[in-house]
Amino acid sequence: MAVAYQQNSCILPLTRSSPRPLSLFPRVSSLIIRSPWRSIAFPSIARRSHCLACGADTLVAGSRKEDGKSYGVVRKEEEEFGDLKSWMHEKGLPPCKVVLKEGSSHDGKHRPIHYVAASEDLEAGDIAIAVPNSLVVTLDRVLGNETVAELLTTNKLSELACLALYLMYEKKQGRKSFWYPFIRELDRQRGRGQLAVESPLLWSEAELAYLNGSPTKAEVLERGEGIKREYNELDTVWFMAGSLFQQYPYDIPTEAFPFEIFKQAFVAVQSCVVHLQKVSLARRFALVPLGPPLLAYKSTCKAMLTAVEGAVQLVVDRPYKAGEPIVVWCGPQPNSRLLLNYGFVDENNPYDRIVVEASLNTDDPQYQDKRLVAQRNGKLAVQVFYVYVGKEKEAVSDMLPYLRLGYVSDPSEMQSVLSSQGPICPVSPCMERAVLDQLSDYFEDRLASYPTTLGEDEVLLADCNLDAKKRVATQLVRGARCEILFTGRCKKLGTTCLLAMVAFSTLPNVVSD
């Protein structure tokens, strides 16, 4: 998109259909940790996925067979094998200060979720749990060779895919598996987070419509196709990992497990995987019994599961009363990522943000000069700007010099910019108005993409009988205090950005940053 402005000539404000020297668009970003999927655009997945498994061949218990068990049968099984914590104590878990409690379920067909609570009053600095490494599932343990583990996870497959495949194979062994009590607990949780809601990756097409207008919907579909690509590479793991090959010499993964089953297992693993710090590559992603999703996530918490000598432990960061759910930090993840990974939204999330992506026009005759100026000031030809809640004006201040650069058209002005120090462009009042109009139109377009208004969202959320998935989706697009990861999902933040535009509308003729 090219537009020419003569120096000192006044122009009319640009309309939405006017050509502009820069492109602005929402963007689906990558994971903060290494992405366990591949960013590829494929047709959307229309088939409904209920996180339902088919007997012993799958990881996620949401099987009709298992969900159909009577309470008495389930109770008898728990008495026979004990709960997860009892099994862990039998296998070497030292005395700890937590207890498993029963939470809620929004679906009467499924059993309530469990959660970890304090078994006694705790003070900040207390060690709540210390899970020995013998009870932690990591890639070096799964694949039997750390070199193989590193090879796999730096090429075509993610750690999550490898862990999901391993647990599916273990599930096939049924009660003979060492991990049977842990897998049974994962089955009970059904990939549900602390709000007892599954990741949108397992929502039906009709349920995904709750996210209409939000770029999160595109992220869901994109990750679903990334999981499909992971699935197509599973046989590579089976052939390369000697430990799996020897134990299951005839069970080729893509023949033993249909894609929908793998997808459900992948989402279940995704909901509970822990990213350990300061460990080898083959141990950085771990499945820790009594960890997430039994531990609740909170964006403002400081406690983390950490690797220590021979164990993974949790030191609480605040006092707890006996019976109170224990929470851990989920990392600096926006709400869209929390919903996608764990099925919940944190309305007090300080890491929530809008992502605005702007790019210089490659057809501009002065594109190369502008790219050099941008690079000199720490920007790229395609630049991502983050807009955090409460810091909208600062974000706009960061965007304006870059946007003004795109509007420079006179060669002498461009030479002046090239020879200057800092992101300074000569700006006329009309040019400044054009820049601000482009930003305003951009945010207005994002707000207009939502099918509901903020008022309608508030009415929905006031309904105590609102479907749980629709509730978290509405929380996401409404964004009480925050906007969601990578793209424009928060209407309140978008409105605040527009107000910030107004605040800049009285800038002087020449604006320097």
Side-chain angles (χ1 to χ4, degrees):
M1 292 181 285
V3 60
Y5 291 98
Q6 298 300 321
Q7 188 173 15
N8 300 323
S9 64
C10 189
I11 60 169
L12 294 175
L14 294 177
T15 64
R16 291 186 190 177
S17 60
S18 302
R20 282 165 173 168
L22 294 105
S23 298
L24 289 170
F25 45 92
R27 172 187 162 185
V28 177
S29 179
S30 58
L31 272 177
I32 293 172
I33 59 175
R34 193 179 76 81
S35 173
W37 59 89
R38 305 295 183 261
S39 299
I40 299 179
F42 288 91
S44 62
I45 300 171
R47 177 180 175 182
R48 179 173 182 130
S49 177
H50 279 293
C51 197
L52 298 178
C54 46
D57 293 338
T58 66
L59 169 62
V60 181
S63 68
R64 291 182 177 88
K65 177 181 177 182
E66 192 158 335
D67 282 339
K69 289 181 180 179
S70 69
Y71 181 76
V73 171
V74 172
R75 232 10 188 174
K76 183 177 180 181
E77 189 176 82
E78 288 180 349
E79 289 174 359
E80 179 181 353
F81 289 94
D83 63 16
L84 176 65
K85 186 169 175 288
S86 300
W87 168 75
M88 292 177 69
H89 282 305
E90 289 178 5
K91 300 301 180 181
L93 177 71
C96 58
K97 301 178 180 179
V98 300
V99 63
L100 271 182
K101 302 192 76 172
E102 194 169 275
S104 58
S105 175
H106 299 296
D107 190 334
K109 296 182 294 184
H110 306 315
R111 297 159 65 194
I113 62 172
H114 276 153
Y115 66 91
V116 169
S119 60
E120 59 188 73
D121 291 351
L122 300 177
E123 297 296 331
D126 285 350
I127 298 176
I129 350 171
V131 181
N133 287 342
S134 59
L135 294 176
V136 176
V137 185
T138 54
L139 276 189
D140 56 346
R141 177 169 186 158
V142 168
L143 302 178
N145 184 298
E146 186 166 316
T147 302
V148 173
E150 292 187 8
L151 174 65
L152 291 172
T153 57
T154 53
N155 283 277
K156 295 182 179 181
L157 285 168
S158 70
E159 292 91 337
L160 270 67
C162 296
L163 292 171
L165 177 60
Y166 174 71
L167 289 187
M168 285 194 299
Y169 274 130
E170 286 296 307
K171 174 95 178 196
K172 283 180 69 73
Q173 295 189 59
R175 300 183 182 189
K176 295 179 181 179
S177 170
F178 173 82
W179 299 107
Y180 176 73
F182 180 40
I183 293 172
R184 190 182 61 185
E185 187 62 44
L186 292 178
D187 285 348
R188 180 187 182 116
Q189 297 300 110
R190 296 176 48 83
R192 295 173 292 175
Q194 58 211 56
L195 298 180
V197 174
E198 300 161 341
S199 163
L201 288 165
L202 299 178
W203 292 8
S204 69
E205 187 174 12
E207 290 165 341
L208 280 178
Y210 299 152
L211 296 171
N212 283 347
S214 167
T216 302
K217 183 176 180 179
E219 290 184 55
V220 172
L221 297 175
E222 183 177 328
R223 188 183 295 193
E225 294 300 338
I227 294 172
K228 175 68 173 180
R229 184 174 178 178
E230 298 267 21
Y231 174 76
N232 292 334
E233 297 289 348
L234 287 182
D235 293 352
T236 302
V237 178
W238 183 76
F239 282 114
M240 293 182 66
S243 57
L244 289 178
F245 181 80
Q246 292 171 12
Q247 195 166 2
Y248 307 101
Y250 306 109
D251 292 332
I252 299 175
T254 55
E255 294 181 5
F257 308 109
F259 168 65
E260 287 299 322
I261 299 306
F262 171 73
K263 181 180 177 182
Q264 293 157 16
F266 187 99
V267 172
V269 169
Q270 171 186 271
S271 71
C272 62
V273 73
V274 175
H275 189 201
L276 297 177
Q277 306 293 322
K278 300 178 181 179
V279 296
S280 65
L281 184 64
R283 294 190 61 228
R284 63 177 178 173
F285 288 100
L287 302 178
V288 184
L290 292 183
L294 300 177
L295 289 171
Y297 277 131
K298 191 173 182 181
S299 300
T300 55
C301 179
K302 296 180 181 179
M304 297 174 60
L305 283 164
T306 56
V308 295
E309 185 66 31
V312 174
Q313 72 175 21
L314 173 64
V315 177
V316 297
D317 65 331
R318 64 174 180 83
Y320 285 88
K321 294 293 184 183
E324 189 178 351
I326 292 181
V327 297
V328 293
W329 187 46
C330 52
Q333 301 187 60
N335 278 340
S336 59
R337 188 63 58 198
L338 297 181
L339 179 61
L340 195 56
N341 289 342
Y342 316 115
F344 82 100
V345 169
D346 186 346
E347 294 190 316
N348 297 314
N349 186 354
Y351 302 100
D352 210 9
R353 65 194 181 191
I354 292 175
V355 173
V356 177
E357 187 174 286
S359 63
L360 297 171
N361 186 357
T362 55
D363 294 329
D364 187 337
Q366 301 181 94
Y367 169 75
Q368 292 298 337
D369 287 342
K370 292 180 179 181
R371 185 173 64 87
L372 289 175
V373 172
Q375 290 178 345
R376 189 177 66 191
N377 289 281
K379 299 292 190 290
L380 303 172
V382 179
Q383 179 62 40
V384 174
F385 297 94
Y386 298 106
V387 185
Y388 289 92
V389 177
K391 296 183 178 180
E392 296 84 2
K393 196 168 183 178
E394 292 88 336
V396 172
S397 296
D398 191 33
M399 293 180 204
L400 285 178
Y402 186 86
L403 298 182
R404 293 181 192 122
L405 178 63
Y407 278 81
V408 175
S409 59
D410 187 277
S412 63
E413 285 185 356
M414 195 65 244
Q415 288 305 311
S416 175
V417 173
L418 281 169
S419 61
S420 68
Q421 297 297 319
I424 300 175
C425 294
V427 181
S428 70
C430 292
M431 184 183 293
E432 191 70 6
R433 171 53 61 187
V435 171
L436 294 173
D437 281 349
Q438 183 175 8
L439 268 178
S440 294
D441 288 352
Y442 168 78
F443 285 115
E444 286 174 356
D445 287 343
R446 288 180 73 163
L447 290 175
S449 68
Y450 294 100
T452 58
T453 65
L454 274 174
E456 290 169 337
D457 290 343
E458 298 289 353
V459 171
L460 281 174
L461 292 174
D463 181 3
C464 60
N465 296 316
L466 183 65
D467 175 82
K469 293 176 182 176
K470 191 167 187 177
R471 179 175 296 279
V472 295
T474 304
Q475 288 175 332
L476 183 74
V477 299
R478 179 204 64 170
R481 289 209 202 159
C482 44
E483 218 290 84
I484 315 295
L485 217 165
F486 314 112
T487 56
R489 326 176 164 116
C490 171
K491 302 174 183 177
K492 281 189 176 180
L493 185 53
T495 302
T496 309
C497 286
L498 286 175
L499 295 176
M501 297 300 98
V502 175
F504 279 96
S505 64
T506 57
L507 291 171
N509 290 358
V510 179
V511 181
S512 63
D513 215 309

